[in-house]
């Protein structure tokens, strides 16, 4: 349905006013007793993050409550849940949304990139859907603004479900349960593909990230960091300071919901993917991809929009080395990609990398 994976963004350059008072970004992690003091209070009192050019930071927080669905929305979501698991909406009658978004696989599929119609391989890693109710825009390249719009894309994509509007509507009308359920909501009018999109969107709004150590910490406004062991707490501090991950992974979603080039465009090569540029045509967007949420992260391997990284240790090593390398020579009329200035070598030690992974595993 959606194609997305998980990336982390790091930045090596310090910001002079990054931390309040006398606490400044440090090249080494403070003694654990000092860290326990620094992170004992609510998140707003924690050491400020190490930011960089153009970063927009929102403090860590629990996800905002979503209002309970009304009677109509709940009924629509029930239809959407059935549609999510129903392969009848695909051209082959064999592929459903759940084919790439399996509840047992972190609402992803565990593959580098998904297989779709006629075993065609998709371009990008399947998105874990835990935070769909809050994320905007949608897809790696941001081509959909609403969940209703997003829901139709996979049905019509020739590599995914390879269906068409008439085929989708015909499948809905063939099924007596769909006819009755939609008639109860909309009256006797014909069911449209837009009705299916609305139902799927209503179901996706009910999805939530799994309960984790991090969600328990955030449920206490950040005051629950006693739940973190020493390695996890050191990793949290690195995430906010030396590793610079919080420059892009921040706020309740651990995502700034913006687009960044991490040096993985593969410009002029077999795996070339120009990302956001395909939507906007803006030369500045070549190779930029949306920052995904990190909630539920340990369940959603492999990582990156290409599914290149099998483990969180691989991801941390990638950023520690300064991300990918972009070619500087123009290729095939496409503007040269520019790696985000937030990406640079981090110089994390092996122990620091292990601590950062330990923290990421709490999310």
């Amino acid at each position: 349905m959606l194609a997305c994976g998980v990336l982390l963004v790091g930045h090596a350059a310090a910001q002079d006013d990054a931390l309040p008072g006398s606490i400044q970004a440090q090249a080494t992690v403070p003694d654990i007793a000092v860290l326990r003091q620094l992170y004992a209070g609510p998140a707003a009192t924690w050491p400020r993050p190490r930011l960089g050019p153009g970063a927009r930071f929102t403090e860590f927080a629990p996800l905002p409550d979503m209002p309970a669905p009304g009677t109509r929305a709940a009924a629509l979501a029930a239809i959407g849940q059935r549609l999510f698991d129903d392969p009848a909406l695909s051209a082959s009658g064999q592929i459903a949304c759940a084919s790439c978004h399996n509840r047992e696989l972190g609402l992803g599929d565990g593959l580098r990139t998904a297989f779709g119609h006629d075993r065609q391989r998709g371009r990008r890693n399947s998105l874990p859907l835990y935070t769909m109710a809050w994320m905007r825009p949608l897809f790696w390249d941001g081509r959909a603004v609403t969940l209703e719009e997003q829901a139709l894309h996979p049905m019509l994509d020739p590599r995914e479900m390879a269906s068409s509007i008439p085929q989708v509507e015909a499948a809905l009308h063939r099924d007596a349960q769909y006819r009755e359920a939609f008639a109860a909501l909309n009256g006797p009018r014909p069911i449209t593909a837009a009705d299916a999109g609305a139902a799927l969107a209503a179901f996706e709004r009910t999805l939530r990230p799994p309960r984790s150590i991090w969600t328990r910490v955030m449920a206490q406004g950040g005051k629950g960091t006693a739940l973190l062991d020493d390695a996890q707490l050191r990793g949290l501090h690195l995430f906010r300071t030396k590793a610079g991950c919080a420059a892009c992974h921040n706020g309740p979603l651990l995502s700034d919901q913006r687009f960044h080039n991490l040096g993985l465009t593969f410009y002029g090569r077999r795996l070339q993917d120009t990302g956001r540029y395909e939507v906007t045509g803006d030369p500045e967007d070549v190779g930029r991809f949306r920052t995904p949420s990190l909630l539920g992260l340990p369940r959603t391997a492999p990582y990156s929009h290409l599914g290149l990284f099998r483990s969180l240790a691989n991801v941390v090593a990638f950023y520690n080395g300064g991300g990918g390398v972009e070619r500087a020579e123009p290729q095939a009329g496409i503007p040269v990609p520019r790696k985000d200035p937030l990406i640079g070598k981090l110089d994390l030690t092996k122990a620091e990398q292990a601590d950062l992974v330990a923290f990421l595993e709490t999310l």
Side-chain angles (χ1 to χ4, degrees):
M1 229 174 134
L2 289 175
C4 187
V6 180
L7 284 178
L8 312 175
V9 178
H11 171 56
Q15 179 172 302
D16 291 341
D17 60 351
L19 306 179
S22 61
I23 304 167
Q24 294 295 318
Q26 301 179 36
T28 58
V29 176
D31 177 87
I32 193 64
V34 174
L35 281 184
R36 292 282 171 200
Q37 280 189 305
L38 292 175
Y39 288 90
T45 68
W46 292 356
R48 292 289 305 281
R50 188 178 190 177
L51 304 178
R56 298 178 188 172
F57 179 79
T58 301
E59 188 52 82
F60 299 166
L63 283 172
D65 291 332
M66 296 291 285
T71 302
R72 177 182 172 80
L76 197 59
I79 300 172
Q81 183 166 2
R82 185 178 171 221
L83 287 169
F84 191 84
D85 293 318
D86 192 348
L89 300 184
S90 67
S92 65
Q94 298 179 351
I95 301 172
C97 303
S99 299
C100 298
H101 302 287
N102 190 314
R103 292 169 182 80
E104 296 180 14
L105 295 171
L107 286 173
D109 58 14
L111 300 174
R112 184 179 64 79
T113 59
F115 289 98
H117 185 70
D118 284 342
R119 297 295 291 171
Q120 294 180 86
R121 188 128 209 180
R123 298 172 63 200
R124 298 170 184 162
N125 182 259
S126 296
L127 170 72
L129 305 182
Y130 293 133
T131 57
M132 295 297 292
W134 296 274
M135 295 296 286
R136 297 295 181 274
L138 301 162
F139 294 104
W140 270 108
D141 55 18
R143 65 185 180 274
V145 177
T146 67
L147 284 170
E148 289 78 4
E149 177 188 355
Q150 163 269 315
L152 296 179
H153 280 263
M155 297 182 204
L156 307 181
D157 190 308
R159 290 191 185 187
E160 296 187 51
M161 297 170 75
S163 194
S164 65
I165 295 293
Q167 285 178 303
V168 168
E169 293 176 348
L172 294 169
H173 282 100
R174 281 195 299 268
D175 188 297
Q177 291 185 42
Y178 286 138
R179 291 198 306 270
E180 293 171 8
F182 278 113
L185 291 175
N186 302 328
R189 68 168 175 79
I191 308 169
T192 66
D195 292 327
L200 285 164
F203 168 62
E204 289 174 345
R205 289 189 181 98
T206 70
L207 299 175
R208 298 292 182 270
R211 185 170 172 79
S212 66
I213 295 174
W214 182 250
T215 61
R216 291 162 62 196
V217 170
M218 285 293 101
Q220 300 178 50
K223 292 186 286 186
T225 50
L227 295 169
L228 302 177
D229 66 25
D230 290 354
Q232 292 163 350
L233 185 61
R234 288 193 298 267
L236 167 60
H237 186 66
L238 287 163
F239 189 94
R240 290 176 68 92
T241 57
K242 182 178 178 181
C245 310
C248 295
H249 291 284
N250 56 60
L253 293 170
L254 294 178
S255 168
D256 61 4
Q257 304 208 55
R258 300 171 69 202
F259 297 85
H260 301 277
N261 180 333
L262 310 178
L264 289 177
T265 308
F266 286 91
Y267 186 61
R269 287 165 282 179
R270 181 177 62 85
L271 294 178
Q272 176 177 291
D273 189 339
T274 55
R276 182 69 171 160
Y277 174 75
E278 296 178 10
V279 177
T280 67
D282 184 343
E284 294 297 318
D285 284 334
V286 176
R288 287 181 176 175
F289 295 88
R290 194 197 66 181
T291 307
S293 171
L294 301 188
L295 298 178
L297 182 66
R299 304 177 184 221
T300 60
Y303 306 104
S304 87
H305 70 277
L306 291 172
L308 296 176
F309 307 114
R310 300 301 306 179
S311 70
L312 292 173
N314 296 151
V315 175
V316 170
F318 169 75
Y319 286 102
N320 194 46
V325 178
E326 295 285 23
R327 287 186 174 181
E329 304 81 19
Q331 303 285 323
I334 298 173
V336 174
R338 299 178 182 176
K339 192 162 71 172
D340 198 296
L342 291 172
I343 306 299
K345 289 187 177 181
L346 303 177
D347 295 322
L348 299 175
T349 67
K350 290 293 184 183
E352 288 172 333
Q353 291 179 60
D355 287 342
L356 185 53
V357 169
F359 169 66
L360 297 174
E361 289 173 343
T362 72
L363 300 177

